[in-house]
Amino acid sequence: MDESGQPQSGTGGATPPAGDPGGRPAQARPLAVNDNGQPRSAPPAGDTGEHPAQARPDSTPGGTDAAPPQEPPKTPGTSQGPSAGQEPGSDHGSGISQAPSSAGGPATGAPTGDGPTTGASGSRPTGADETPAQHPYDTHPDRAAATSGKRKGPTKPPNPRGGILMGRPFGVPVYVAPSWFLVAALITWVFGGQLDRVLPELGAARYLVSLFFAVAFYASVLVHELAHTVAALRFKLPVRRIQLQFFGGVSEIEKESETPGREFILAFVGPLLSLVLSGVFYLGMMAVEPATVPGVLLAGLMVSNLIVAAFNLLPGLPLDGGRMLRAVVWKITGKPMSGTIAAAWVGRALAVTVLIGLPLLTQTGALGGNAEDVSGMDTVTDALLAAILAAIIWTGAGNSLRMARLREHLPELRARTLTRRAVPVEAATPLSEALRRANESGARALVVVDVDGEPRSLVREAAIVGVPEHRRPWVAVSGLAQDLTDGMRVSAELAGEDLLDTLRATPATEYLVVENNGAIYGVLSAADVERAFVKAMARPS
């Protein structure tokens, strides 16, 4: 990923629902049962249509466990590119590293709404750009559901750890991925074979020297990544972690650079440090005997850092050179998305070139070897290496496009337009009465308030679904509610990445949305945010 950050390419606000020229969302209709009083069937969980999936309670109320909180979609972090650097909003790295794949989930529309209402009917109109699923306990058979039931929760973010923690330079954790040990063993074996030809007197000890070379090479990769990290911290961009992995490393920077100039600098400092290290090792090589262990090690480190720098400067995403090309196109056009598209397609062309060109260069002896000495095993090895490199570059370029598209549409996620109208009720109010009030006002959420009208808890929609119809008059809403915490109160002005970061800090199924003066605006469902998130990802740029 790149030193990704606040969306630079986003659009301003939420798109008005289709068919409403004024941009005001259609009124959502609340809760329903069949004519015989039995719950209506709902679409299966995970339905990707325009209706949210029907909920089923984890347990029935009255002494049963509450449904586990859902976690909102995770916003993609960004980082300074891998030596095969990452796409915008993704990782930077030395060597080669893949950009993270985009989040997924059920692709359904998210409700939107107009301004809050006043009076006892509730604090927020339902907004919906799709027809909501039917709720099993609506007293109005012709109405659509005020709530959906148990949904498939948003995909939880992956474990932020990526292997063995090696330290925290500049306060940033450095992890070594398990794949590194495989590559280190391969480097040890290959370099050991070369040492046998240059220094045959070493015998089996050559593999210890080769292991030292593998560790020193990845230490150079770490320096490359630290260059990205230090630059990001200087620009006040938070860095989640550094990971050393297969074919290089990744610096995961959580915010995108704000200007093309900063983007260029953040991408360039990594290859620059690799060039500096190559020069340092060259000077050291000049000071020692060439046919000695120090001479061979310094020569190997000089060449390997030169290769890392040159490879990363290739002008295609997800390499650092691709990020530099993106910054240049961004500067010329004024559009970050244009830079991403150009650099991603150059990256794909580069992947095809590597796949075809690397084996041809080896066969023709253009890399310095004798073409007649190339064996069948060498051909297979070169073809495999070319295929791995090409796959990493191609995948990283594709991820760059997806992440850029997400950041372009991320500002459309606005708490104000996704919030459901809520009806305030006191703790002792029977559920049947609370649902009747919700139906009359067209609300889709219940907020439990005290005698002074201050919100105390939110009634979980999954818990409502679990109450049989005949028990509703005897169940108080307080028994179905989740107490409000500070993290469950969100501002109606939140949008985009700020909204997702706020929800991710306190995972829950519902959140109370308030105005700047503290007045209740409505209730925000994590499932609604997830659907809007996935819908934004699916929308073409």
Side-chain angles (χ1 to χ4, degrees):
M1 302 192 311
D2 119 72
E3 329 59 48
S4 73
Q6 299 298 336
Q8 298 297 315
S9 53
T11 56
T15 304
D20 186 355
R24 292 174 63 87
Q27 180 72 23
R29 299 187 181 94
L31 317 162
V33 296
N34 291 326
D35 294 335
N36 59 6
Q38 295 301 318
R40 289 187 178 178
S41 60
D47 182 15
T48 58
E50 287 298 312
H51 298 274
Q54 179 68 37
R56 295 181 182 272
D58 289 341
S59 55
T60 56
T64 55
D65 295 334
Q70 293 173 329
E71 184 168 346
K74 179 183 178 185
T75 52
T78 61
S79 45
Q80 270 317 85
S83 301
Q86 301 283 342
E87 38 104 1
S90 116
D91 303 326
H92 267 296
S94 25
I96 303 172
S97 50
Q98 298 174 341
S101 59
S102 58
T108 58
T112 58
D114 50 12
T117 60
T118 59
S121 62
S123 27
R124 154 99 182 131
T126 315
D129 50 15
E130 85 279 346
T131 304
Q134 294 174 342
H135 191 283
Y137 305 112
D138 189 358
T139 57
H140 301 276
D142 295 332
R143 291 188 179 178
T147 59
S148 57
K150 181 179 179 182
R151 311 169 192 78
K152 183 179 180 181
T155 304
K156 291 185 178 181
N159 191 330
R161 297 181 181 274
I164 302 174
L165 178 63
M166 302 302 294
R168 294 179 178 272
F170 305 102
V172 177
V174 176
Y175 293 96
V176 174
S179 60
W180 176 85
F181 295 95
L182 176 62
V183 178
L186 179 61
I187 293 175
T188 300
W189 177 67
V190 172
F191 194 70
Q194 296 175 345
L195 280 178
D196 191 37
R197 293 192 293 270
V198 178
L199 299 172
E201 65 274 12
L202 288 178
R206 67 182 183 274
Y207 291 108
L208 290 177
V209 177
S210 298
L211 179 60
F212 179 83
F213 170 79
V215 173
F217 169 70
Y218 269 88
S220 301
V221 172
L222 177 59
V223 172
H224 178 115
E225 297 306 320
L226 287 174
H228 290 306
T229 297
V230 171
L233 294 176
R234 185 173 180 82
F235 292 142
K236 302 187 184 305
L237 301 176
V239 183
R240 183 182 299 121
R241 65 173 179 175
I242 296 174
Q243 185 185 50
L244 300 180
Q245 56 186 22
F246 187 76
F247 271 139
V250 175
S251 299
E252 296 183 3
I253 300 172
E254 297 182 351
K255 301 292 182 182
E256 188 177 68
S257 53
E258 298 178 354
T259 65
R262 290 187 175 185
E263 171 84 351
F264 188 93
I265 293 172
L266 284 165
F268 180 63
V269 291
L272 177 62
L273 257 292
S274 293
L275 287 173
V276 170
L277 285 176
S278 182
V280 170
F281 289 130
Y282 174 78
L283 293 177
M285 185 179 65
M286 294 295 98
V288 300
E289 292 294 329
T292 60
V293 169
V296 172
L297 285 176
L298 289 170
L301 290 172
M302 184 267 294
V303 172
S304 61
N305 277 276
L306 188 62
I307 292 174
V308 167
F311 185 77
N312 273 273
L313 287 173
L314 293 175
L317 287 173
L319 304 174
D320 289 332
R323 299 195 59 77
M324 294 162 63
L325 174 61
R326 173 181 182 261
V328 171
V329 177
W330 177 3
K331 179 67 175 180
I332 294 172
T333 64
K335 299 178 180 179
M337 189 64 184
S338 297
T340 301
I341 292 173
W345 279 105
V346 172
R348 287 175 169 175
L350 181 62
V352 175
T353 302
V354 169
L355 179 64
I356 299 173
L358 185 59
L360 289 178
L361 290 175
T362 303
Q363 289 293 322
T364 58
L367 296 179
N370 189 341
E372 296 178 356
D373 296 335
V374 177
S375 65
M377 181 59 68
D378 291 333
T379 301
V380 172
T381 301
D382 291 339
L384 180 60
L385 177 61
I388 293 174
L389 291 177
I392 291 174
I393 297 173
W394 183 279
T395 302
N399 285 339
S400 298
L401 286 174
R402 284 189 291 272
M403 295 295 294
R405 182 175 62 202
L406 167 63
R407 294 190 174 280
E408 185 177 43
H409 294 298
L410 197 58
E412 297 176 12
L413 300 182
R414 305 174 68 87
R416 189 173 292 280
T417 57
L418 295 174
T419 299
R420 301 175 176 185
R421 174 186 293 174
V423 172
V425 294
E426 294 186 358
T429 305
L431 178 59
S432 58
E433 171 61 17
L435 293 180
R436 184 190 64 79
R437 296 181 191 177
N439 289 333
E440 287 183 350
S441 63
R444 299 179 64 200
L446 300 173
V447 178
V448 178
V449 298
D450 59 18
V451 293
D452 297 323
E454 290 295 321
R456 296 303 178 192
S457 57
L458 301 178
V459 179
R460 296 179 301 105
E461 58 181 0
I464 294 176
V465 179
V467 180
E469 183 181 1
H470 66 276
R471 292 188 57 194
R472 288 185 296 161
W474 317 109
V475 176
V477 293
S478 59
L480 310 176
Q482 180 178 4
D483 291 339
L484 282 171
T485 62
D486 290 338
M488 292 173 63
R489 297 172 185 261
V490 300
S491 170
E493 303 303 323
L494 286 177
E497 198 163 356
D498 290 339
L499 173 62
L500 296 182
D501 288 343
T502 300
L503 302 191
R504 188 171 66 245
T506 308
T509 53
E510 289 92 12
Y511 299 84
L512 180 68
V513 181
V514 296
E515 296 282 12
N516 291 335
N517 61 3
I520 299 174
Y521 185 67
V523 172
L524 178 65
S525 169
D528 291 346
V529 177
E530 180 193 19
R531 284 192 293 271
F533 180 88
V534 175
K535 188 176 182 180
M537 279 294 296
R539 184 178 301 128
S541 300

